[in-house]
Amino acid sequence: MKQKTLSQYLVEQQRRDPAITTEIRSLIETVARACKAIAHCVSKGALGGVLGSLESENVQGEVQKKLDVISNDILLGANEWGGQLAAMASEEMDTIHRIPHSYPRGDYLLLFDPLDGSSNIDVNVSIGTIFSVLRAPLDAEGRDIEEADFLQPGKKQVAAGYAVYGPQSLLVLTLGSGVVGFTLDREQGSWVLTQADMRIPEDTAEFAINMSNMRHWEPPVKHYIDDCLAGENGPLHKNYNMRWVASMVADVHRIMTRGGIFMYPRDERPSGKKGKLRLMYEANPMSFLVEQAGGLAIDGDERILEVQPTGLHQRIGVILGSKNEVERVLRYHQED
Ligand code: AHM
Ligand code: MG
């Protein structure tokens, strides 16, 4: 059977759907090329001198790993010059990165978490990259892009995806009509289509949550997990299994493959930070992918894709995965 590459897939999508512009097509190809370069760095590990931490902290006060910064630089360098973008934003940068005036300016905005699952870098567990594409507002034409131009609800995304650097390197993508997956063929140096239509099973008996935060959870989440733990003799009448990789890309990819529910809920921890994950770089792109695969994503009370962002680095509770299970957790929030 002839293999289909990412480039072929994108050309076919462009012929089928006029909304997929040449700019979008080359933007996705460029991001995928950057992910290939990051996969290469990741796989070198200690031999490439890429493990360990730096002295620096990012804007959220987290110590940066070398690979956080290397991956950020790869994505910036790859996407700066091609003429598809007006600006970029990253979990690892204090503010937005405007395309320098020496390059042509495009219509799109790119957001990314360059290296997701940073705590797993040094222990050789799957990590990844998450990205989201928005259109720059029409009224931004003729003036500099501002942070406020990025603050669009997730339902406005025109594309989103993630790469997982694990036993295989994978790229999972949506352009707004379903979700497809590619595997990196290292000999050929190309992303090859291996999952033509990813669908999340609607029901599940597998949850993913960091149980060590239980004392900080809001009552509906605690109530739901208590009911899961009660097993088949409890109110949910089934035995649940638990998985927690601590790399969102890996946990979400498992759910994309065999279903499940992922939760990093907002909580009441003393730091005052409401949960951990970031709306613009993690929650929005993953919610778009999950919903395009037939799942659902909420912050507890509402669809994440409807949330109007108020800050580039804002955090949000995330509950996503198999549709019927996420709806069940939504009911716990409405009734408790
Ligand atoms: P990061 O972007 O700094 O790596 O943080 C996000 C990660 C997610 O991938 C993962 O779901 C979560 O943090 C794990 O957090 P914890 O270590 O609290 O379980
Ligand atoms: Mg992350």
Side-chain angles (χ1 to χ4, degrees):
M1 200 184 71
K2 201 167 165 346
Q3 292 185 323
K4 189 179 287 182
T5 63
L6 173 67
S7 305
Q8 276 174 282
Y9 170 81
L10 290 171
V11 168
E12 283 174 14
Q13 292 305 304
Q14 192 181 8
R15 284 188 192 133
R16 198 186 52 82
D17 179 359
I20 298 171
T21 58
T22 301
E23 267 184 317
I24 279 286
R25 177 159 68 82
S26 38
L27 171 54
I28 301 296
E29 292 216 48
T30 309
V31 172
R33 208 162 37 241
C35 290
K36 210 187 313 178
I38 297 171
H40 185 67
C41 286
V42 167
S43 68
K44 289 200 158 192
L47 300 178
V50 298
L51 303 184
S53 301
L54 296 166
E55 309 256 292
S56 52
E57 286 186 351
N58 66 14
V59 61
Q60 14 239 325
E62 297 158 342
V63 174
Q64 287 181 307
K65 301 279 187 178
K66 281 189 201 168
L67 261 180
D68 287 326
V69 174
I70 293 170
S71 308
N72 196 64
D73 289 349
I74 289 175
L75 280 156
L76 285 182
N79 286 287
E80 205 172 46
W81 51 270
Q84 299 92 19
L85 291 176
M88 293 181 254
S90 161
E91 189 179 305
E92 298 301 335
M93 300 190 297
D94 296 4
T95 187
I96 61 170
H97 177 91
R98 297 186 185 93
I99 298 301
H101 291 301
S102 48
Y103 297 123
R105 174 173 146 173
D107 294 333
Y108 295 96
L109 305 174
L110 177 66
L111 301 95
F112 45 84
D113 176 357
L115 211 287
D116 179 60
S118 304
S119 72
N120 282 323
I121 293 173
D122 294 344
V123 293
N124 197 22
V125 171
S126 294
I127 48 185
T129 297
I130 310 172
F131 67 92
S132 158
V133 180
L134 293 164
R135 205 171 225 292
L138 289 176
D139 69 4
E141 225 162 279
R143 62 160 172 84
D144 277 347
I145 294 287
E146 303 296 339
E147 253 187 47
D149 297 321
F150 283 78
L151 304 184
Q152 306 178 33
K155 63 184 177 188
K156 294 268 182 84
Q157 290 170 104
V158 295
Y162 62 82
V164 195
Y165 315 117
Q168 304 107 45
S169 286
L170 303 177
L171 182 74
V172 173
L173 173 71
T174 183
L175 300 173
S177 52
V179 180
V180 286
F182 301 84
T183 303
L184 182 59
D185 180 332
R186 288 178 190 267
E187 281 76 46
Q188 302 291 332
S190 47
W191 293 102
V192 177
L193 184 69
T194 43
Q195 283 115 317
D197 183 19
M198 298 180 79
R199 304 292 302 168
I200 299 176
E202 291 191 348
D203 293 295
T204 187
E206 192 163 75
F207 66 83
I209 194 165
N210 182 339
M211 297 282 287
S212 70
N213 293 324
M214 186 183 269
R215 67 192 181 287
H216 302 307
W217 295 341
E218 294 174 348
V221 172
K222 176 132 194 348
H223 183 182
Y224 168 68
I225 293 295
D226 282 346
D227 287 355
C228 293
L229 296 177
E232 60 189 358
N233 296 325
L236 302 182
H237 308 294
K238 53 181 171 177
N239 294 325
Y240 280 78
N241 186 26
M242 194 199 94
R243 287 285 183 274
W244 184 251
V245 183
S247 286
M248 189 188 197
V249 282
D251 280 312
V252 169
H253 190 69
R254 184 187 58 254
I255 289 170
M256 284 287 194
T257 309
R258 69 175 190 216
I261 183 165
F262 168 96
M263 297 194 270
Y264 213 122
R266 53 181 186 231
D267 55 29
E268 287 151 357
R269 63 181 85 192
S271 66
K273 291 176 183 163
K274 296 275 176 196
K276 176 174 184 187
L277 300 177
R278 277 122 309 199
L279 175 60
M280 305 302 288
Y281 317 112
E282 291 160 329
N284 270 344
M286 289 309 204
S287 299
F288 190 24
L289 287 154
V290 162
E291 293 206 0
Q292 283 296 317
L296 182 61
I298 60 170
D299 68 352
D301 305 305
E302 66 172 320
R303 267 177 83 217
I304 289 175
L305 294 179
E306 300 282 347
V307 172
Q308 173 61 49
T310 52
L312 201 54
H313 296 294
Q314 107 185 55
R315 295 174 195 259
I316 189 165
V318 176
I319 298 168
L320 58 76
S322 293
K323 188 163 178 285
N324 291 342
E325 201 66 16
V326 177
E327 279 173 353
R328 188 199 299 282
V329 179
L330 180 63
R331 286 196 297 276
Y332 277 68
H333 282 81
Q334 289 163 343
E335 288 160 14
D336 272 23

